[in-house]
Amino acid sequence: MGFTDLLSDAGLTMLNSWLTTRSYITGYGPSQADVASFKGLKEAPSAAKYPHAYRWYKHMSSYQSEFSSLPGDPSKAYTTYGPEATSVTMNPKDAPKETEEEEEDEDLFGSDDEEEDPEAVKQREANLAAYKQKKAGKAKPAAKSIVILDVKPWDDETDMKELEANMRTIEMDGLTWGTSKLVPVGFGIKKLQVNLVVEDEKVSVDDLQAKIEEDEDHVQSTDVSAMQKL
C-alpha cells in the first residue's frame, strides 16, 4: 500500500520503521524514490522520536543540488514506495475458535488427568536433558557480513588522515575494520572507501554510520557501497 502520508505521527512512524534497516527508500543508492519522499516531508523528522528517518533526511539533504539527476521516475508520488501492507491487530472476539478436535491434537504430552508411569516420566526427563545438553554444545557460528562503506568529506580541504583516524577510534563489539583507500569523486575531492566486517546480530550498520557522521568537522555523509554475507 506504500506510505499513506508523511506528516502525521503514524506516517512518520511508518517511515522510521521502513528506514530502520535501510539507508535509502529503495535500493542501495539515492534515487527519485528518496526525492519524492523527501519532498513529502514538511520539515526534518524529530531526531528523538524518529532517529532513522532523521538520519536519512539529514543524509538526503546533502543531495538536494543533485535531485533532478538522480535515477528513477520523478513522476511517481511517494505513496508508491514503502511497505506493501501493514499488520492490523485482530479483535480477540473475531478470532476463529479452535474446534474440540484441534484442542485435543495440541495435547502432545497427554492429559494431566491420566497417571503416568514414574519410570517413563523419569526416562523422558533424562532424554530431554540430554537433548538440551547436546544442542547447547552445538553453537552456530555467528553470521557475518562484509561491508564496503563510502565516507564523504565536506570538500577538498578536509584532512582525510584525521577523518580516517577519528573513524577508526569507533569500537563496537562485532566490528572489525579492514583496509581503506581514497577514491576521487570530482573537483579535487576524494572520498574514503573502507572495508569492514560486522557480526549481524551485534552491529547495526545504520548505527555505525551515525557514529561516523558524528564527526561533523570532517564527514558530510556515508553510504553503503556494497554489502555481502560471509
Side-chain angles (χ1 to χ4, degrees):
M1 60 179 288
F3 299 123
T4 52
D5 76 90
L6 296 177
L7 300 178
S8 67
D9 284 342
L12 288 170
T13 298
M14 182 184 294
L15 176 65
N16 189 68
S17 176
W18 182 254
L19 292 167
T20 299
T21 57
R22 297 172 174 83
S23 296
Y24 302 99
I25 299 298
T26 62
Y28 294 99
S31 68
Q32 292 300 321
D34 297 282
V35 174
S37 302
F38 183 92
K39 291 181 177 179
L41 292 164
K42 186 167 61 176
E43 58 188 2
S46 167
K49 291 179 67 177
Y50 315 107
H52 302 295
Y54 173 79
R55 180 258 309 155
W56 166 82
Y57 185 92
K58 180 182 175 185
H59 176 52
M60 288 306 303
S61 296
S62 66
Y63 284 96
Q64 288 191 69
S65 62
E66 304 173 41
F67 275 3
S68 61
S69 63
L70 294 178
D73 185 353
S75 66
K76 287 187 177 181
Y78 68 80
T79 52
T80 60
Y81 306 106
E84 293 182 1
T86 55
S87 60
V88 179
T89 303
M90 179 180 288
N91 190 322
K93 71 179 181 64
D94 297 326
K97 294 182 179 180
E98 291 184 339
T99 65
E100 204 173 297
E101 184 178 346
E102 288 173 334
E103 290 176 354
E104 288 178 359
D105 288 343
E106 290 179 3
D107 189 9
L108 302 179
F109 299 101
S111 171
D112 292 338
D113 296 335
E114 299 176 4
E115 291 187 7
E116 291 189 76
D117 180 5
E119 287 299 321
V121 173
K122 185 177 179 180
Q123 184 61 46
R124 186 175 69 227
E125 291 178 349
N127 292 342
L128 182 59
Y131 169 75
K132 287 182 178 179
Q133 186 175 2
K134 182 178 180 181
K135 187 176 181 182
K138 292 183 177 180
K140 293 183 179 179
K144 296 181 179 181
S145 298
I146 183 168
V147 182
I148 299 177
L149 202 61
D150 288 344
V151 184
K152 298 179 182 178
W154 286 106
D155 50 40
D156 60 340
E157 296 181 359
T158 301
D159 190 325
M160 298 304 290
K161 289 184 177 180
E162 283 187 6
L163 183 153
E164 181 172 5
N166 293 344
M167 179 191 70
R168 289 183 181 272
T169 62
I170 298 173
E171 295 182 356
M172 300 173 72
D173 186 21
L175 166 65
T176 302
W177 292 107
T179 59
S180 63
K181 63 180 179 180
L182 294 176
V183 180
V185 294
F187 304 103
I189 301 174
K190 295 181 179 180
K191 66 182 177 181
L192 178 68
Q193 192 168 82
V194 59
N195 298 318
L196 52 107
V197 175
V198 297
E199 289 187 30
D200 297 340
E201 291 188 1
K202 293 182 178 180
V203 179
S204 163
V205 176
D206 282 342
D207 289 346
L208 175 59
Q209 288 182 260
K211 286 181 179 290
I212 296 173
E213 290 172 5
E214 287 177 2
D215 183 13
E216 296 181 350
D217 291 337
H218 298 87
V219 179
Q220 180 198 89
S221 63
T222 61
D223 287 317
V224 175
S225 177
M227 187 171 183
Q228 183 177 355
K229 297 287 184 183
L230 289 178

